[in-house]
Amino acid sequence: MTQQDNNVTEATTSISGGKEAPEILSNQPAPEQAAEVARDLQRVLDGEFPEARATMREILNDKTMRPLAGLPLEEARAITTEKLFKVLESGLPHGVFRPEQGGTGKIGESLVSIEMLGHADLSLMVKSGVQWGLWGSAVGNLGTERHYKLVEDTINLRALGCFAMTERGHGSDVQSIETTAHYDPETQEFILNSPTASSEKFYIGNAARDGRWAAVFCQLYTPGNEESHGVHCIVARIREEDGSPIEGVRLGDHGHKGGLIGVDNGTMMFDHYRVPRENLLNRFADVDEAGNYSSAIENPNRRFFTMLGALVRGRVTVGAAAGAATRTALDIATTYANLRRQFASDESLPEKRLIEHRKHRLRLIPAIAKSYGLQFATNTLISRVTELDRRGVDPTDMTKEQEADQRELEAHAAALKAANTRHATDTIQDMREACGGAGYMSENLLTSIKADSDIFTTFEGDNVVMLQLAGKELMTGFAKELGGLKPLEMVRFGLDSFGSLLRRRTAADAIIQNLQDTFTDSEETSLFDPANQVKLLTERENRLMLSLARRLSPARKMDVADAAEVVDKAQDHLLAVAEAHVDRIIFEAFLDAESKLTTLQGKKVFEQVRDVYFLSLIVDNASWYLEQNLLSGTRTKAARAALNDLVDSLGPWSQTLVDAFGVPSQLRELSLMEPYEAMTPVCEFNPSKGPK
Amino acid sequence: MTQQDNNVTEATTSISGGKEAPEILSNQPAPEQAAEVARDLQRVLDGEFPEARATMREILNDKTMRPLAGLPLEEARAITTEKLFKVLESGLPHGVFRPEQGGTGKIGESLVSIEMLGHADLSLMVKSGVQWGLWGSAVGNLGTERHYKLVEDTINLRALGCFAMTERGHGSDVQSIETTAHYDPETQEFILNSPTASSEKFYIGNAARDGRWAAVFCQLYTPGNEESHGVHCIVARIREEDGSPIEGVRLGDHGHKGGLIGVDNGTMMFDHYRVPRENLLNRFADVDEAGNYSSAIENPNRRFFTMLGALVRGRVTVGAAAGAATRTALDIATTYANLRRQFASDESLPEKRLIEHRKHRLRLIPAIAKSYGLQFATNTLISRVTELDRRGVDPTDMTKEQEADQRELEAHAAALKAANTRHATDTIQDMREACGGAGYMSENLLTSIKADSDIFTTFEGDNVVMLQLAGKELMTGFAKELGGLKPLEMVRFGLDSFGSLLRRRTAADAIIQNLQDTFTDSEETSLFDPANQVKLLTERENRLMLSLARRLSPARKMDVADAAEVVDKAQDHLLAVAEAHVDRIIFEAFLDAESKLTTLQGKKVFEQVRDVYFLSLIVDNASWYLEQNLLSGTRTKAARAALNDLVDSLGPWSQTLVDAFGVPSQLRELSLMEPYEAMTPVCEFNPSKGPK
């Protein structure tokens, strides 16, 4: 929780050396003006694929697509499976696959469409993700022509499949999985086996009920090789058409979960189960009839990570859908705050709307601002995935630059996955609380959004692991750029440079260059100055990287165990690097989006949203800025006071800000916090008579 | 999230001016030593009523009391109602009521017993709280001898009842409720009526299914008086014995909720429903046959708050039970962290247990430390409720001192309710995440603990309202003590004084006096020195109160609307005062508990737990201490590093720390994160065969 200082009552005097203060926006916007601003903001928020979003909004407003809470497990599963066919109509699944596989190759549209499902029904989003994104992409990206028929059946829901990677004993460390596949040249089959209890496939979506197929990740063995060739993927039938498990496959049901009960997660084990040689997904490695292993990628480690490259899209959509779910929660709670009256300041005054309480504004508006930033950054990420896909890089033969691009993309996806899902978990919880008891009633969606989104911080890559991955990638790049410098020089270099040493290409490149060119730094520079804002965020990222580099450098000369100890002790530091990085990336996405607005009033509102995001970061990290002498206590206090001023100014615009999210309107209607209609009247009764 | 600085690698040099560092405890305690320490700690955690805790542990280990997840609504409700009879056997309900009412008056034991229910089943805790704590206490505390028979039936579950206070339009501001009761002298009846849609009784426990009675809070009118006499409470039958609603009463069902589905929350409206005059709970006000109103308490406002005094126990138990639920979650996640292996630091090294990752220790151990502190503070609160009850104060005729005691108790209960439930919501979420996918499976309890406890931040007094109440009470006392001083003098007085201006009596009074007497302040004083720790926490509370007093003082001369504006703008400041207060109260409860330990090793471990709690506060509020120049950047960085050292030191003791919570053993067994047994095998299969 942010610690309030509050010694400063006059907010903005010292935030900008007395030069400026935030303009206070008009008290309550006229409806037409508000609508115009909402349209302008929505256009920018919708990003590169507005048609895909529009299509999905229409589908999600269909009555059959209403989210349903409190259903029995089997009913929830059946309804979710039915809804998949509605998603199929949208053309979304076809976008995931290349034309030669029966798809359209519209990857950007498909990613955005999956994101949109997150507004309404995370079970459906995950079920879609499992079917087309994980199972489908495994077959599509790791397979070859001989698997195209299966891809087609997958698109059209004739082949429902599982992505059988995680094992009971191995979640995030996939390279350690224990399921084996031994090749038998006599029958030209692979023998799938689960040798230990910890090798059981676990939490596998589609496994408990619907799945007929599975993409089984396993250690691959060929005759004459004692060692595994590493993790590979083999497709296997797991159920007969009638739903009974195939002999040699044992399937289990995880039953009820904390959320996502529309997704049938289950377990899977193999008892020397034989599948044809052709079931190996052989794009990156193959075994010939005689049992000879070959791969275009020599290095087993590189091969493994190339195969896992497909996971990146899963991470992108998990983050993006968590973002959409958060926006629905913000929409519900903000609409409620603008309607609900509670407490008068004094008996003689009318009861105030919730939004008129400052503490309530401080709950809603910084969270809305962060959702804006995350959506911009996620849009940018989706555009980059699309762009890389369009370029059609051959993963077996990448240039150094392409490899760096790919790694950077993965680091970004990981960092944004963590940031989006962390924000989701925190904000959805807070919005539930902001709606009081009404927020706890199932018909108001908030509790099911909460329950369903909860696992998003953990699955598709645990957030701690994701941030480590991003942090390590950043440090690797950093070490390269700084290779020759000694620690002391590094410090000097770091502190003297404006902008990041390793400022990865972002959408806002030109804008930032321009800001840098015109920027003059001084103690008095305003915290509202975007150039100064970029500088302060960049400084944090750079200094954290520098100090981490210093901290880790002795490890190079140590033995493995001691070095591991040093790295473990710096784990929180590494995570802080990744967080600082993603904070800056989001901010730059704000700057990029800002340039696309067309209305004056839209720009004014937007600028304050950006300032709220920025000042929240300063307030949350005030102790760091103070310890580093980058800001004085007077300025951090002023930042806190300015944040208060800004939420006061944006309070009357709060409804407009969430209108711009374009949450499918049915969801808000269902959640109007007037659960009267939804309740069963036990007796007929007319409450409108006055007192006798 | 705490921002890591991490420039400091050598932890403790500057935390204590180079004089000391935390002792690193033995690497892995011997089992006997660990058991001895756990016993010592548990004795102190169990507090004043260990027998009541022991009884309840036994009951909660009964197989019939197992928590069940994923049940259909009606089944969950039926099972919860059945379990009430098991709770009745414990003698808990009798403790709530005085001997002349058929109880035993063992209030402390009953409060602790309700708290213990929170370990296992929050639906059962809330259902018990509704039946005996809310409905029962309303009849018992607001009624007179003519209601004793109803009390007896309530204790023995022959009369199940509702506490019908909250209305659709009025949650926290009870004084505005709209339900009316008009007295009719002709028939000597009250006519209960719900005049508007917003007057509908809402979220009422026991209303949807089980309740036969309700304590209806309403505006009371007597003939010849246009104005309401204020909020009073009248008991009313709402259902026939067969469960059908009585004519004139409309009952609704809230249906499925985000959690607590074992509790049948519903709605209630009245259509000119007549009940006998004697149904008025007439301890504090009465209406005679002719319709004359009388009350021993003249002031309607005071009368209202006297009637609401009974609510204090509800708040105490809600906070306490949230604390117990949190301890169960910590127990599950810590046990898991000590068993589960994931990730090696290097391929050549064995996989590490989760607890061996520092980030994981930083997740678990500060949360465990805070749970210790909250339990100590809650124990103290329960002891004070018991003590006040023993004194048998007449609420209609209190001395000034008794009134102050009562108000202070209410403020403490409110502040601790908020602190306990905030900690619960944050920690249970984090423990779910700390267990990864396993934590999301319903059989492992964490998700139902999460869902059930979620509403605790909102109900029985929304946390924001609770903290405001506590903050206002503190400021009132503060203003009295400082009445004569001008702002500048106040500042001087505040800054020069050691200890709080308004240090309310806490259990640790003598200990703190002793610390003060021997304390010499200096820049170099160690952050491990308990006297310095008290001083730093007290300074924060005092300074926040002083600055708030300065900020609010102009409001005295303003008109109501302007003054209300000033107060609203300072809302976050007021909440910060309450938070600083409760942080200190908890810390002092630590000091009190420390003095009761009997083993040397127990004391060593305990001291580090206390230091973790203290340093977490310093780290969380570092920006404030820096802005106030109370700590230098070097020291706040050192505090962060020392916190890291401490969680390293306590890591091997983490299992011992949660063992000491004495969570009913059945719960840990059920949650061993080996959900293998709980799954339905789809086909018979023996996984133990090795690879072919």
Side-chain angles (χ1 to χ4, degrees):
Chain A
M1 197 171 291
T2 302
Q3 174 56 43
Q4 299 300 322
D5 173 78
N6 305 300
N7 269 347
V8 179
T9 42
E10 292 309 308
T12 48
T13 46
S14 55
I15 197 169
S16 56
K19 275 178 283 191
E20 51 177 325
E23 183 189 351
I24 299 304
L25 298 168
S26 68
N27 215 353
Q28 188 68 53
E32 323 78 66
Q33 192 189 27
E36 189 192 33
V37 170
R39 274 194 305 275
D40 200 17
L41 293 171
Q42 183 177 334
R43 199 176 37 71
V44 179
L45 284 163
D46 272 1
E48 196 181 336
F49 308 102
E51 300 82 6
R53 291 193 194 268
T55 305
M56 209 38 100
R57 281 188 184 110
E58 204 172 305
I59 288 175
L60 293 174
N61 275 331
D62 191 290
K63 281 212 165 62
T64 62
M65 296 297 269
R66 280 189 180 181
L68 300 163
L71 290 178
L73 189 65
E74 288 308 322
E75 206 175 317
R77 288 173 172 182
I79 288 176
T80 306
T81 307
E82 265 171 49
K83 285 182 177 176
L84 276 182
F85 288 89
K86 193 91 189 168
V87 176
L88 179 57
E89 284 174 28
S90 73
L92 175 166
H94 300 82
V96 181
F97 303 93
R98 297 191 299 277
E100 63 269 30
Q101 297 173 318
T104 60
K106 293 191 171 180
I107 184 68
E109 284 83 347
S110 75
L111 293 174
V112 159
S113 301
I114 293 213
E115 171 189 331
M116 292 298 287
L117 292 178
H119 273 307
D121 190 335
L122 289 172
S123 279
L124 182 59
M125 179 265 152
V126 170
K127 187 92 174 173
S128 301
V130 166
Q131 171 63 16
W132 296 301
L134 291 173
W135 153 253
S137 289
V139 183
N141 288 325
L142 306 182
T144 55
E145 219 169 321
R146 72 189 187 208
H147 305 109
Y148 283 2
K149 174 69 176 66
L150 193 53
V151 172
E152 210 189 301
D153 290 349
T154 295
I155 296 176
N156 295 317
L157 297 171
R158 287 191 296 270
L160 291 168
C162 311
F163 187 78
M165 178 182 268
T166 297
E167 297 178 357
R168 179 201 286 268
H170 314 278
S172 298
D173 55 341
V174 183
Q175 271 186 296
S176 314
I177 58 166
E178 298 174 76
T179 301
T180 56
H182 285 82
Y183 182 66
D184 179 355
E186 274 183 42
T187 60
Q188 299 192 16
E189 288 170 323
F190 288 105
I191 306 161
L192 289 170
N193 199 45
S194 310
T196 62
S198 56
S199 73
E200 184 170 26
K201 296 292 179 188
F202 234 57
Y203 312 134
I204 308 299
N206 262 350
R209 178 186 185 269
D210 286 339
R212 298 295 181 264
W213 290 88
V216 182
F217 287 81
C218 51
Q219 302 288 349
L220 187 72
Y221 293 87
T222 53
N225 279 65
E226 289 241 332
E227 295 277 299
S228 158
H229 295 287
V231 174
H232 289 69
C233 187
I234 295 176
V235 295
R237 285 290 303 216
I238 56 167
R239 276 194 182 82
E240 309 288 355
E241 275 314 307
D242 69 4
S244 60
I246 281 184
E247 210 192 316
V249 181
R250 170 181 150 145
L251 301 168
D253 187 339
H254 280 295
H256 206 273
K257 306 191 297 293
L260 298 180
I261 66 162
V263 184
D264 54 324
N265 292 86
T267 64
M268 203 179 291
M269 290 188 99
F270 303 98
D271 179 13
H272 303 94
Y273 174 48
R274 288 169 171 268
V275 299
R277 185 184 67 91
E278 292 78 11
N279 285 24
L280 176 68
L281 296 174
N282 60 333
R283 183 165 170 211
F284 300 122
D286 208 351
V287 174
D288 71 13
E289 295 182 5
N292 299 306
Y293 178 86
S294 63
S295 172
I297 310 172
E298 288 275 311
N299 183 314
N301 226 19
R302 236 193 90 211
R303 190 189 312 134
F304 175 72
F305 285 106
T306 303
M307 292 200 286
L308 254 58
L311 281 182
V312 111
R313 291 183 189 173
R315 276 175 196 157
V316 171
T317 55
V318 162
T326 312
R327 296 195 294 277
T328 301
L330 285 166
D331 184 73
I332 293 170
T334 306
T335 304
Y336 186 65
N338 277 280
L339 290 172
R340 172 79 175 176
R341 290 182 184 276
Q342 185 83 297
F343 277 111
S345 307
D346 184 274
E347 280 172 37
S348 64
L349 302 170
E351 285 189 308
K352 291 162 85 172
R353 290 177 300 136
L354 290 179
I355 194 72
E356 291 170 306
H357 296 276
R358 181 182 266 180
K359 185 72 191 175
H360 213 84
R361 291 191 292 275
L362 281 170
R363 261 184 152 163
L364 298 178
I365 292 171
I368 292 172
K370 186 160 190 179
S371 273
Y372 267 66
L374 280 164
Q375 186 163 2
F376 297 137
T378 305
N379 285 347
T380 307
L381 180 67
I382 289 176
S383 294
R384 292 203 52 214
V385 171
T386 313
E387 187 196 323
L388 281 183
D389 187 74
R390 275 195 205 117
R391 281 195 228 149
V393 176
D394 174 5
T396 64
D397 185 27
M398 289 200 278
T399 64
K400 290 249 163 200
E401 202 185 323
Q402 286 168 336
E403 262 184 31
D405 270 0
Q406 180 66 28
R407 269 212 325 277
E408 188 204 324
L409 182 72
E410 281 167 22
H412 266 181
L416 267 179
K417 186 269 172 187
N420 259 315
T421 57
R422 182 77 261 148
H423 179 60
T425 293
D426 295 344
T427 303
I428 294 165
Q429 175 71 39
D430 210 34
M431 294 308 105
R432 201 296 292 155
E433 295 180 31
C435 292
Y440 200 58
M441 302 298 113
S442 294
E443 66 267 26
N444 290 321
L445 303 188
L446 283 170
T447 57
S448 47
I449 297 173
K450 171 74 202 157
D452 289 344
S453 63
D454 186 87
I455 192 67
F456 278 57
T457 52
T458 315
F459 78 171
E460 288 297 304
D462 179 84
N463 278 5
V464 173
V465 178
M466 290 298 92
L467 288 173
Q468 287 198 147
L469 193 156
K472 280 179 185 165
E473 167 62 15
L474 283 165
M475 293 307 293
T476 306
F478 186 70
K480 263 185 212 147
E481 296 205 26
L482 292 188
L485 297 175
K486 296 214 172 57
L488 199 68
E489 293 170 316
M490 281 164 62
V491 177
R492 267 196 230 107
F493 187 34
L495 303 193
D496 296 345
S497 70
F498 175 82
S500 172
L501 292 169
L502 180 85
R503 223 182 27 67
R504 301 291 194 166
R505 182 190 45 211
T506 75
D509 252 15
I511 297 161
I512 288 157
Q513 192 57 51
N514 195 31
L515 288 174
Q516 289 186 20
D517 293 346
T518 56
F519 181 65
T520 22
D521 198 4
S522 90
E523 264 295 300
E524 299 293 286
T525 313
S526 166
L527 289 178
F528 294 121
D529 178 342
N532 196 26
Q533 294 176 336
V534 174
K535 174 177 168 286
L536 282 164
L537 297 182
T538 308
E539 279 283 341
R540 183 166 138 248
E541 183 182 358
N542 286 351
R543 288 193 185 203
L544 284 169
M545 285 201 286
L546 273 167
S547 55
L548 179 59
R550 273 207 308 278
R551 212 171 146 180
L552 295 182
S553 72
R556 294 185 194 176
K557 290 162 213 150
M558 293 176 182
D559 67 37
V560 171
D562 287 346
E565 187 67 18
V566 170
V567 172
D568 179 63
K569 296 232 162 175
Q571 197 187 6
D572 53 339
H573 197 154
L574 183 65
L575 300 179
V577 164
E579 283 164 12
H581 175 71
V582 82
D583 288 345
R584 178 181 57 79
I585 292 295
I586 291 171
F587 185 78
E588 296 189 358
F590 259 111
L591 292 179
D592 181 49
E594 199 165 340
S595 65
K596 294 171 186 159
L597 289 161
T598 56
T599 68
L600 183 66
Q601 189 64 21
K603 279 184 189 178
K604 278 189 183 177
V605 170
F606 187 96
E607 210 171 277
Q608 295 204 341
V609 174
R610 185 203 72 206
D611 287 339
V612 166
Y613 174 72
F614 170 75
L615 289 170
S616 300
L617 288 178
I618 294 297
V619 168
D620 288 349
N621 298 288
S623 63
W624 186 86
Y625 283 103
L626 288 161
E627 285 166 359
Q628 296 284 318
N629 291 318
L630 280 168
L631 291 173
S632 67
T634 317
R635 296 198 100 193
T636 56
K637 284 190 225 173
R640 202 171 288 123
L643 187 58
N644 277 336
D645 285 348
L646 284 168
V647 302
D648 291 353
S649 172
L650 285 170
W653 290 86
S654 55
Q655 189 68 55
T656 309
L657 291 177
V658 296
D659 286 349
F661 286 146
V663 173
S665 52
Q666 169 167 257
L667 300 173
R668 188 191 288 176
E669 285 153 27
L670 285 173
S671 286
L672 259 186
M673 303 292 162
E674 289 289 342
Y676 199 80
E677 295 302 316
M679 287 184 310
T680 327
V682 175
C683 64
E684 279 310 309
F685 184 82
N686 174 13
S688 62
K689 303 177 205 166
K692 191 176 167 181
Chain B
M1 198 171 290
T2 302
Q3 174 55 44
Q4 298 301 323
D5 172 79
N6 306 298
N7 268 348
V8 178
T9 42
E10 292 308 308
T12 47
T13 46
S14 55
I15 196 170
S16 55
K19 274 178 285 188
E20 50 176 328
E23 182 189 352
I24 299 304
L25 298 169
S26 69
N27 216 353
Q28 189 67 53
E32 322 78 65
Q33 192 188 25
E36 188 192 34
V37 169
R39 273 194 305 275
D40 200 16
L41 294 171
Q42 183 178 332
R43 198 176 36 74
V44 178
L45 284 163
D46 273 2
E48 196 182 336
F49 306 102
E51 299 82 8
R53 291 194 193 267
T55 304
M56 209 40 103
R57 281 188 183 112
E58 204 172 306
I59 288 175
L60 292 174
N61 275 331
D62 191 291
K63 283 214 162 64
T64 61
M65 297 296 272
R66 281 187 179 182
L68 300 163
L71 291 178
L73 190 64
E74 288 309 324
E75 204 174 319
R77 288 173 172 183
I79 288 176
T80 306
T81 307
E82 265 171 52
K83 285 183 178 177
L84 276 183
F85 288 89
K86 193 90 189 167
V87 177
L88 178 56
E89 283 174 31
S90 73
L92 176 165
H94 300 82
V96 181
F97 302 93
R98 296 192 298 277
E100 63 269 30
Q101 297 173 318
T104 60
K106 293 190 173 181
I107 185 67
E109 284 83 347
S110 75
L111 294 173
V112 160
S113 301
I114 293 213
E115 170 188 331
M116 292 297 289
L117 292 178
H119 274 307
D121 189 336
L122 289 170
S123 279
L124 181 59
M125 180 264 151
V126 170
K127 188 91 175 173
S128 302
V130 166
Q131 171 63 16
W132 296 300
L134 291 173
W135 152 252
S137 290
V139 183
N141 289 324
L142 305 182
T144 54
E145 219 170 320
R146 72 188 188 210
H147 304 108
Y148 284 1
K149 173 69 176 68
L150 193 53
V151 172
E152 209 189 302
D153 289 349
T154 295
I155 296 177
N156 295 317
L157 297 172
R158 286 192 296 269
L160 291 168
C162 310
F163 187 78
M165 179 182 267
T166 297
E167 295 178 356
R168 179 201 285 268
H170 313 280
S172 297
D173 55 342
V174 183
Q175 272 188 294
S176 315
I177 58 167
E178 298 174 77
T179 301
T180 56
H182 284 81
Y183 183 66
D184 179 356
E186 273 181 43
T187 60
Q188 300 191 15
E189 288 170 322
F190 288 105
I191 306 160
L192 290 171
N193 199 45
S194 309
T196 62
S198 57
S199 73
E200 184 170 26
K201 296 292 177 187
F202 234 56
Y203 312 134
I204 309 297
N206 262 349
R209 177 186 186 268
D210 286 338
R212 298 295 181 265
W213 290 88
V216 182
F217 287 81
C218 51
Q219 303 287 349
L220 187 73
Y221 293 87
T222 51
N225 279 66
E226 289 238 335
E227 294 276 298
S228 158
H229 295 289
V231 174
H232 289 68
C233 187
I234 293 175
V235 295
R237 283 291 304 213
I238 56 167
R239 277 194 181 84
E240 309 287 357
E241 274 313 308
D242 71 3
S244 60
I246 281 184
E247 210 191 316
V249 181
R250 170 181 149 144
L251 300 169
D253 187 340
H254 280 293
H256 205 273
K257 304 190 299 293
L260 298 180
I261 64 162
V263 184
D264 54 323
N265 292 86
T267 64
M268 203 180 292
M269 291 188 98
F270 303 98
D271 180 12
H272 303 92
Y273 174 47
R274 289 171 171 266
V275 299
R277 184 184 67 92
E278 292 78 11
N279 283 23
L280 176 67
L281 296 174
N282 59 332
R283 183 168 172 207
F284 300 122
D286 209 351
V287 174
D288 70 14
E289 294 180 6
N292 300 306
Y293 178 87
S294 63
S295 172
I297 310 173
E298 288 276 311
N299 183 314
N301 226 17
R302 236 193 90 209
R303 189 189 311 131
F304 175 72
F305 284 106
T306 303
M307 291 200 286
L308 255 57
L311 281 182
V312 109
R313 292 183 189 173
R315 275 174 197 158
V316 171
T317 55
V318 162
T326 311
R327 296 194 294 276
T328 300
L330 285 166
D331 184 71
I332 293 170
T334 306
T335 304
Y336 186 66
N338 277 280
L339 290 172
R340 173 80 174 176
R341 290 182 183 276
Q342 185 85 294
F343 277 113
S345 308
D346 185 274
E347 280 173 37
S348 63
L349 301 171
E351 285 189 308
K352 290 161 87 173
R353 290 177 299 136
L354 291 179
I355 195 71
E356 291 170 306
H357 295 276
R358 180 182 264 178
K359 186 74 190 174
H360 213 84
R361 290 191 292 276
L362 281 169
R363 262 182 151 164
L364 298 179
I365 291 170
I368 292 172
K370 188 160 190 179
S371 273
Y372 267 66
L374 280 164
Q375 186 164 0
F376 298 137
T378 305
N379 285 347
T380 307
L381 180 67
I382 290 176
S383 294
R384 291 202 53 212
V385 171
T386 312
E387 188 196 320
L388 282 183
D389 188 71
R390 275 194 205 118
R391 281 196 227 148
V393 177
D394 174 7
T396 63
D397 185 28
M398 286 200 278
T399 63
K400 290 246 162 200
E401 202 185 322
Q402 286 169 338
E403 262 184 29
D405 270 359
Q406 180 66 29
R407 272 213 322 277
E408 190 206 322
L409 181 72
E410 280 166 22
H412 265 181
L416 267 179
K417 188 268 174 188
N420 259 315
T421 58
R422 182 77 262 147
H423 178 61
T425 293
D426 295 344
T427 303
I428 294 166
Q429 175 70 39
D430 210 35
M431 294 309 104
R432 202 295 294 154
E433 295 180 32
C435 292
Y440 200 55
M441 302 298 114
S442 293
E443 66 267 26
N444 290 320
L445 304 187
L446 283 169
T447 56
S448 45
I449 296 174
K450 172 76 202 154
D452 290 343
S453 64
D454 186 88
I455 192 67
F456 278 58
T457 52
T458 315
F459 79 172
E460 287 297 305
D462 179 85
N463 278 4
V464 174
V465 178
M466 289 298 93
L467 288 173
Q468 288 199 147
L469 193 156
K472 279 179 186 165
E473 166 62 14
L474 283 167
M475 294 308 292
T476 306
F478 187 69
K480 264 187 212 146
E481 297 206 26
L482 292 187
L485 299 175
K486 296 213 171 59
L488 199 67
E489 293 170 316
M490 280 163 64
V491 176
R492 268 198 228 109
F493 187 35
L495 301 193
D496 295 346
S497 71
F498 174 82
S500 173
L501 291 169
L502 182 83
R503 221 182 32 66
R504 300 292 193 169
R505 183 190 43 212
T506 75
D509 252 16
I511 298 162
I512 289 156
Q513 192 56 51
N514 194 30
L515 289 175
Q516 289 187 21
D517 292 346
T518 56
F519 182 64
T520 22
D521 198 4
S522 91
E523 265 294 302
E524 298 292 288
T525 313
S526 166
L527 289 177
F528 293 122
D529 178 343
N532 196 27
Q533 294 176 337
V534 174
K535 174 177 168 285
L536 282 164
L537 297 181
T538 308
E539 280 282 342
R540 183 166 138 246
E541 183 183 357
N542 286 351
R543 289 192 185 204
L544 284 167
M545 285 202 286
L546 274 167
S547 55
L548 179 58
R550 275 206 308 277
R551 212 169 146 181
L552 295 182
S553 72
R556 294 185 194 176
K557 291 162 213 150
M558 295 176 181
D559 67 36
V560 172
D562 287 346
E565 186 69 17
V566 170
V567 173
D568 179 63
K569 295 230 162 176
Q571 197 187 8
D572 52 339
H573 197 154
L574 184 64
L575 300 179
V577 164
E579 282 165 12
H581 176 71
V582 82
D583 288 346
R584 178 182 59 78
I585 291 296
I586 291 171
F587 185 78
E588 296 189 358
F590 259 111
L591 292 180
D592 181 47
E594 199 165 339
S595 64
K596 293 172 187 158
L597 289 161
T598 56
T599 67
L600 182 67
Q601 189 64 20
K603 280 182 189 178
K604 279 188 181 176
V605 171
F606 187 96
E607 210 172 278
Q608 296 204 340
V609 174
R610 185 203 70 204
D611 287 339
V612 166
Y613 174 72
F614 170 75
L615 290 170
S616 300
L617 289 178
I618 294 297
V619 167
D620 288 349
N621 298 288
S623 64
W624 186 85
Y625 283 103
L626 289 161
E627 286 167 0
Q628 296 284 317
N629 291 318
L630 282 169
L631 292 173
S632 68
T634 316
R635 297 199 100 194
T636 56
K637 284 189 224 172
R640 202 170 288 125
L643 187 58
N644 277 336
D645 286 347
L646 283 168
V647 303
D648 291 354
S649 173
L650 286 171
W653 289 87
S654 55
Q655 190 66 56
T656 308
L657 291 177
V658 296
D659 286 349
F661 287 147
V663 173
S665 52
Q666 169 167 257
L667 301 171
R668 188 192 288 176
E669 284 153 27
L670 286 172
S671 287
L672 259 183
M673 303 292 164
E674 289 290 342
Y676 197 80
E677 294 303 316
M679 288 184 310
T680 327
V682 175
C683 65
E684 280 309 310
F685 185 79
N686 172 14
S688 62
K689 301 178 205 166
K692 190 179 167 178

